[in-house]
Amino acid sequence: MKSTLICTVGTSLFKPNLFNLPSAEKDYENWLSKQPEDDRQYLSYEFIKSLKAASDKLKAALDKKDCEAALDEKDFEHLAELLGRVPGTTRLCGAEINSITDLIQREYCTKNCTLFFCHSATPDGQHIAEILRRYYKQKGHHTEPQEIEHLQDAQPKLFRTKGLRNLAKKMSRIIYDKKAQFCAINATGGYKAQIAIGVLMGQALEVPVYYKHELFSEIIAFPPMPISLDFRLWLEKSELLTALERWEKIKGMVARQDLEQMVAWQDVDEEWDERMEALVERVDIDGKVYLEISPTGQIFHETFKGRFESVRSRVLPSPVLENEKRTPRLSNHGWGNARKPILDFLQKIVDECPYVRTCYGDYWNPTLPSPVLFRLRGEEIEGIFSNGTWTVKFIVETSANTPEQRAACVADMNRLTEN
């Protein structure tokens, strides 16, 4: 049984469930007749009246976008307590509670499993996650709501380009922190695209993925697919994916023509690998083409960044003998006041990477910001170090003898310098 359950979160608890409760006793019987027959014994008029009063208060605050009023601690606690009075299988409780209840009852997860709620960056998402947190806290679970930046429906392009990628990052981080063998994904709630990302993450990281439609009598597990991701492709292209990821933090999307300065290709159009088409997206803005990692590319990249730790001893070159290690050196440039932090960084690379013999540099730009990055330059490995205002470039001497070993060194050093 799994001890960590990662759940995508939707809005069914609010719409239609809590925000569609009958407003008067004369409407109650008609509403009750539309509920599943097994649920009706728990849905007395007095209970529904109390639940509607509590949910109406929250709905009014949301409608007014009065977030502080909506986030009243007692309101959330009361709503969670009311929902806890009926079985978790009751459809009124929403997709998340229904599916989690089924997972635990069928012993796919431990009774006190840790619950991560990956919710949208919207008031509805935030509030539902808070109700779920309190609902399951009352039942003895450790819960952690996880807001996914840019996962929202007001800006579809931002949802696709940033939101889904952030969901993939968040899920992979939880899985690597908690260990894949102890994790499961409940992809029942949320946008259909969220569910798709959950399934892809599960397939990539070999984590079981569950789903429950409201008409299903029980939750189902997605069967493992006969597919695999290409580690050799990732090793070959990790510097490009890392460069796109890190440059995005500095200046957003990367212009197509700037690729030549980021990776080891003299002519990007000639060297472009068609296998990258699913991993990288082109965005046309005012006639200029920009590149960014696609949601699928993010899953691909996150998967192998995590797996690399377990295979690095097989793909990295032999360690350099201790007496062959050399102190890093810089040319006689002025280097501003940055000589010491630069040398400290280079020494850290020599000390922490057994396959590194030494580092040396002579390129200095006092006004150029850049991400910290390692990349291939022909048969050399080039490092880039920056504090966000100045940039230094340097060569890293290693014990690598083959292109595959050099690519592994680049992937490893980029891993070590990830923020």
Side-chain angles (χ1 to χ4, degrees):
M1 291 192 291
K2 306 301 183 180
S3 57
T4 296
L5 185 61
I6 304 164
C7 306
T8 56
V9 174
T11 59
S12 68
L13 179 61
F14 284 174
K15 306 166 187 175
N17 295 14
L18 296 184
F19 293 170
N20 196 37
L21 294 173
S23 56
E25 189 169 3
K26 60 184 177 64
D27 302 317
Y28 166 72
E29 291 299 333
N30 181 51
W31 173 87
L32 187 65
S33 68
K34 296 176 183 177
Q35 303 308 304
E37 187 172 351
D38 290 343
D39 291 358
R40 295 173 194 170
Q41 59 185 307
Y42 307 112
L43 306 176
S44 68
Y45 176 68
E46 289 304 318
F47 171 72
I48 295 303
K49 183 179 178 182
S50 297
L51 189 60
K52 180 171 175 56
S55 60
D56 279 354
K57 186 174 181 182
L58 181 59
K59 184 177 184 297
L62 284 169
D63 288 344
K64 294 176 183 177
K65 296 184 169 50
D66 185 357
C67 292
E68 288 193 11
L71 286 170
D72 185 279
E73 185 173 327
K74 292 180 180 178
D75 292 339
F76 284 120
E77 199 71 26
H78 183 49
L79 261 173
E81 187 271 328
L82 285 170
L83 290 170
R85 294 182 190 179
V86 299
T89 54
T90 308
R91 189 170 71 186
L92 184 63
C93 292
E96 293 75 23
I97 293 176
N98 292 169
S99 54
I100 294 169
T101 300
D102 204 355
L103 278 165
I104 293 173
Q105 286 180 348
R106 295 178 187 280
E107 298 187 343
Y108 295 136
C109 295
T110 58
K111 289 184 178 180
N112 62 341
C113 59
T114 297
L115 297 166
F116 287 87
F117 296 114
C118 296
H119 64 88
S120 60
T122 64
D124 280 359
Q126 294 158 359
H127 295 4
I128 289 174
E130 182 61 18
I131 293 170
L132 292 172
R133 183 183 76 81
R134 291 174 182 275
Y135 176 91
Y136 280 102
K137 183 180 178 182
Q138 291 173 7
K139 294 182 177 294
H141 291 263
H142 175 70
T143 60
E144 296 192 26
Q146 305 284 316
E147 181 170 315
I148 310 302
E149 188 178 7
H150 300 308
L151 197 67
Q152 43 70 49
D153 48 25
Q155 296 175 281
K157 184 175 289 186
L158 203 58
F159 172 91
R160 179 177 64 87
T161 57
K162 297 286 195 300
L164 294 178
R165 284 175 50 201
N166 289 336
L167 177 62
K169 287 181 183 179
K170 181 64 71 175
M171 282 187 161
S172 72
R173 178 47 49 207
I174 295 169
I175 290 168
Y176 287 122
D177 286 347
K178 298 297 182 180
K179 309 302 179 189
Q181 64 267 36
F182 304 121
C183 292
I185 295 172
N186 177 15
T188 299
Y191 304 107
K192 288 183 173 61
Q194 272 180 270
I195 297 169
I197 293 295
V199 174
L200 280 173
M201 288 300 306
Q203 296 290 343
L205 300 177
E206 298 179 352
V207 169
V209 182
Y210 297 93
Y211 174 77
K212 189 177 192 301
H213 189 273
E214 66 175 343
L215 299 180
F216 288 179
S217 61
E218 63 183 79
I219 199 161
I220 63 167
F222 284 93
M225 299 295 179
I227 58 172
S228 62
L229 301 179
D230 188 345
F231 177 72
R232 292 179 66 87
L233 173 64
W234 177 80
L235 199 60
E236 181 184 337
K237 306 301 185 186
S238 71
E239 66 166 289
L240 169 60
L241 295 172
T242 301
L244 287 172
E245 193 173 51
R246 294 188 183 179
W247 269 109
E248 182 180 359
K249 294 178 181 178
I250 292 179
K251 60 178 183 179
M253 294 176 289
V254 180
R256 178 86 162 113
Q257 60 265 37
D258 293 341
L259 259 184
E260 293 180 356
Q261 299 169 21
M262 291 169 48
V263 293
W265 302 328
Q266 295 301 311
D267 187 327
V268 172
D269 289 323
E270 279 188 17
E271 300 291 339
W272 184 256
D273 191 325
E274 289 186 353
R275 294 175 297 175
M276 295 295 293
E277 290 298 329
L279 308 180
V280 175
E281 290 189 341
R282 294 175 175 82
V283 181
D284 193 315
I285 301 177
D286 297 330
K288 190 173 184 178
V289 178
Y290 293 82
L291 295 180
E292 59 187 0
I293 303 177
S294 70
T296 304
Q298 194 70 57
I299 293 173
F300 179 73
H301 194 36
E302 296 293 330
T303 297
F304 286 119
K305 279 197 297 183
R307 287 187 190 173
F308 185 79
E309 179 65 30
S310 64
V311 301
R312 61 191 299 271
S313 61
R314 297 202 319 253
V315 297
L316 287 170
S318 302
V320 173
L321 296 175
E322 195 59 38
N323 61 5
E324 293 180 355
K325 293 267 187 177
R326 298 287 181 266
T327 301
R329 62 187 189 275
L330 297 173
S331 66
N332 292 325
H333 279 315
W335 304 100
N337 295 316
R339 177 178 286 271
K340 185 178 186 308
I342 293 170
L343 286 173
D344 287 347
F345 179 78
L346 300 188
Q347 188 64 58
K348 177 182 177 182
I349 299 302
V350 174
D351 292 342
E352 295 186 5
C353 302
Y355 47 84
V356 172
R357 185 172 290 108
T358 191
C359 304
Y360 58 89
D362 62 3
Y363 174 89
W364 163 257
N365 190 317
T367 60
L368 178 69
S370 173
V372 176
L373 191 65
F374 292 86
R375 59 192 184 182
L376 293 169
R377 281 288 181 263
E379 295 189 353
E380 290 185 326
I381 296 174
E382 182 181 69
I384 302 172
F385 180 54
S386 172
N387 73 342
T389 57
W390 49 256
T391 292
V392 58
K393 296 180 182 179
F394 56 93
I395 299 300
V396 183
E397 285 189 5
T398 72
S399 57
N401 294 313
T402 66
E404 291 78 14
Q405 288 181 341
R406 284 189 284 273
C409 290
V410 167
D412 192 52
M413 286 186 284
N414 278 330
R415 181 186 64 87
L416 288 172
T417 54
E418 186 172 21
N419 293 328

